[in-house]
C-alpha cells in the first residue's frame, strides 16, 4: 500500500485565489490531481486543504485533511498530510495541486522504484528533480527539520542524496506549474484539451 498525498492548501497569492479551485480543461485542479494519484495506484489519497477549504468541491476518491496552519507554508502542509496517514502506511507519493500535466505513469514509476527497494524516489525531468516524490515512512521524522516555511522535502533530498533514487519521467508528462492565469492559458495547448 502506497498512499497518495496531495498538497492543496495554499492561497494562490500570485494566481489571485486558491489553486485548488482553479479549473483546467473543465475540471478543478484538485480533482485532476486526485485522479493523478488514484490512477497511479495510490490508496488512500489524502488532500491537505487550507485557504479556501470551505469552497473546495466534493473530493471523490480522497480524504480531505483540514490544515488550519496552512499560512505557515508548504512545509507545514506536508508534515500535516503525512501525520494524517494511518500508522500502517509505509510510504506516500506526494504531488502538488498546481502541476496539471503530471502523468499517472510517473506515479507508477516512483511506486515501482519503492517496491524495488528505494527509500525515496523522485521523478526527474531533463535531469532536474520534480514531482511526484515518494517518501518512505522512515524519512518522515526528518521532515520536522527540513520541511519548514515554504520548503517541502527539497532540503531533505539534497542533504540525504544517498537515499534518493531519481526516476526519469521526461517522456510521460511535464512538471510545469500554474502560478498565474497566464500560466494556465499557456498550458492548455499542451494538455490536448
Amino acid at each position: 500500500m502506497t498512499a497518495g498525498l496531495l498538497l492543496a492548501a495554499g492561497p494562490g497569492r500570485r494566481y489571485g485565489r486558491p489553486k485548488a479551485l482553479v479549473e483546467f480543461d473543465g475540471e478543478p485542479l484538485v480533482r485532476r490531481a486526485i485522479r493523478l494519484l488514484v490512477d497511479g495506484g495510490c490508496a488512500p489519497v489524502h488532500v491537505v486543504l487550507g485557504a479556501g477549504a470551505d469552497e473546495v468541491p466534493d473530493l471523490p476518491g480522497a480524504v480531505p485533511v483540514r490544515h488550519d496552519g496552512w499560512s505557515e507554508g508548504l512545509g507545514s502542509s506536508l508534515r500535516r498530510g503525512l501525520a494524517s496517514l494511518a500508522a500502517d502506511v509505509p510510504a506516500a507519493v506526494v504531488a502538488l495541486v498546481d502541476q496539471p500535466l503530471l502523468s499517472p505513469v510517473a506515479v507508477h514509476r516512483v511506486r515501482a522504484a519503492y517496491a524495488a527497494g528505494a527509500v525515496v524516489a523522485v521523478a526527474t525531468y531533463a535531469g532536474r528533480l520534480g514531482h511526484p516524490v515518494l517518501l518512505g515512512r522512515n524519512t518522515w521524522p526528518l521532515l520536522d527539520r527540513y520541511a519548514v516555511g515554504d520548503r517541502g522535502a527539497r532540503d531533505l533530498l539534497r542533504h540525504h542524496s544517498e537515499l534518493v533514487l531519481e526516476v526519469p519521467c521526461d517522456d510521460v508528462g511535464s512538471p510545469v506549474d500554474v502560478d498565474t492565469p497566464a500560466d494556465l492559458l499557456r498550458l492548455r495547448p499542451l494538455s490536448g484539451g
Side-chain angles (χ1 to χ4, degrees):
M1 176 175 65
T2 306
L5 180 59
L6 176 61
L7 304 182
R13 285 183 186 92
R14 286 186 283 171
Y15 198 93
R17 64 185 175 130
K19 293 184 221 173
L21 305 175
V22 172
E23 288 206 357
F24 183 70
D25 287 348
E27 177 180 41
L29 287 178
V30 67
R31 284 190 181 158
R32 185 179 183 97
I34 290 167
R35 194 172 70 254
L36 164 80
L37 292 167
V38 170
D39 290 354
C42 295
V45 173
H46 284 204
V47 181
V48 181
L49 300 171
D54 294 333
E55 301 169 58
V56 172
D58 289 338
L59 303 176
V63 176
V65 177
R66 186 97 182 208
H67 181 40
D68 293 331
W70 61 265
S71 62
E72 296 171 28
L74 177 70
S76 72
S77 292
L78 175 58
R79 293 190 322 271
R80 172 71 177 100
L82 292 172
S84 75
L85 296 168
D88 62 345
V89 171
V93 176
V94 180
L96 306 178
V97 75
D98 65 354
Q99 296 182 317
L101 300 183
L102 293 183
S103 166
V105 176
V107 177
H108 279 292
R109 286 182 183 175
V110 297
R111 290 181 56 245
Y114 173 73
V119 175
V120 176
V122 183
T124 63
Y125 305 87
R128 296 183 57 155
L129 301 181
H131 283 88
V133 175
L134 182 142
L135 299 169
R137 180 176 278 279
N138 59 341
T139 67
W140 299 359
L142 298 172
L143 292 168
D144 289 341
R145 181 172 60 188
Y146 293 114
V148 295
D150 278 325
R151 300 186 80 77
R154 185 180 333 150
D155 291 339
L156 169 68
L157 303 179
R158 183 171 42 244
H159 291 119
H160 293 279
S161 59
E162 74 281 1
L163 300 176
V164 178
L165 179 65
E166 296 183 10
V167 180
C169 291
D170 304 79
D171 61 324
V172 295
S174 169
V176 175
D177 60 355
V178 173
D179 286 326
T180 67
D183 292 341
L184 193 69
L185 290 174
R186 279 193 290 276
L187 292 187
R188 286 196 195 287
L190 301 174
S191 74

